[in-house]
Amino acid sequence: SQQGEEDPQALSIQEGENATMNCSYKTSINNLQWYRQNSGRGLVHLILIRSNEREKHSGRLRVTLDTSKKSSSLLITASRAADTASYFCATGSNTGNQFYFGTGTSLTVIP
Amino acid sequence: EAGVAQSPRYKIIEKRQSVAFWCNPISGHATLYWYQQILGQGPKLLIQFQNNGVVDDSQLPKDRFSAERLKGVDSTLKIQPAKLEDSAVYLCASSFSSAYYEQYFGPGTRLTVT
């Protein structure tokens, strides 16, 4: 079974607004990663946060990780129409294998 | 730096036929992954190689799916015989070493089984 679950399943916002999506997972992890997938295209890595980190930034992206709650959030600030895509969290186990993707959040940014 | 290459991009076969997909990872990447992504779902890991050894194939339907990574570089994934439910996009990814690192994905192969 897949490790992570994203919430919400779908999100629609106006351009310029912030978008927040959450990920919950079940077992201990070494790291958690976020990926973006545009319609009909491959996955692109966005950011990786390790289990000993609590927050990480990359441009307009901010990721938090709470290992006690087994959850993570991805914040996209000042959204753009080009941010329209599906966003997936993925977890890497402590053993270096067993990499699992979540179910994804579909984000639509309305111009 | 060249990305992950996959071929073919599209394949249409009839059920019970066989099909093979090819992947060439980024040079120097020790870890290679094959995923199955059904429309509307997240990618599901089928098999993970570390160099030419298998480290995780717990979700690979071994009665019909097989994969190999010769010489720790290129990899092939085969389905024989195919079923209707195998219709999906098959993604190949590579990373520097293990699931401790970010993965780089190829464009995928869209398989349709009729």
Side-chain angles (χ1 to χ4, degrees), chain B residues 4-5 7 11 17 19 29 33 36 39 52-53 60 74 92 95:
Chain B
V4 176
S7 68
K11 190 73 177 180
Q17 286 187 326
V19 64
H29 279 192
Y33 307 80
Q36 178 193 60
L39 186 64
N52 61 351
L60 185 74
D74 292 9
C92 178
S95 67

Side-chain angles (χ1 to χ4, degrees), chain A residues 31 35 37 50 94 96 99, chain B residues 35 37 43 59 99-100 102-103:
Chain A
N31 66 82
Y35 289 79
Q37 186 174 41
R50 301 204 183 276
N94 286 319
F99 195 79
Chain B
Y35 292 90
Q37 186 175 25
Q59 298 192 99
Y100 299 149
E102 59 266 36
Q103 297 181 25

